[in-house]
Amino acid sequence: MHELGLAKDLAAIVFNTMKKEGKDKKLKKVVIVIGQASGIEKDFLNHSLKDHIFKGTEFENVGIEYKIQ
């Protein structure tokens, strides 16, 4: 399941970006674009982010929007 590895990489980008933005900024939504031929299973990626990586962090309730292109 390569979605967990992708989720870890995406989360690192989110964490680092928000760290640079400062504590007064609040993240409301993350938009992830997935290519149709990428082989990425949106449901597995969502599960990895929501249930394993963001859970218990300040990003636990962040909305995640997926766009398939």
Side-chain angles (χ1 to χ4, degrees):
M1 181 162 82
H2 68 282
E3 283 81 1
L4 180 57
L6 291 171
K8 288 178 181 179
D9 292 342
L10 289 168
I13 293 168
V14 170
F15 293 144
N16 290 332
T17 300
M18 292 309 295
K19 186 177 179 180
K20 290 177 188 174
E21 291 291 323
K23 294 187 186 277
D24 60 330
K25 301 285 183 174
K26 181 155 173 80
L27 184 65
K28 295 179 182 176
K29 178 170 67 172
V30 175
V31 179
I32 300 172
V33 179
I34 301 174
Q36 287 181 354
S38 67
I40 297 170
E41 293 287 335
K42 181 189 84 160
D43 292 336
F44 290 146
L45 182 60
N46 191 60
H47 170 75
S48 295
L49 285 168
K50 287 287 199 177
D51 296 335
H52 296 289
I53 297 173
F54 286 162
K55 189 172 186 170
T57 73
E58 63 188 290
F59 304 110
E60 185 168 21
N61 296 315
V62 166
I64 303 176
E65 179 182 335
Y66 296 92
K67 294 184 178 184
I68 309 298
Q69 292 185 345

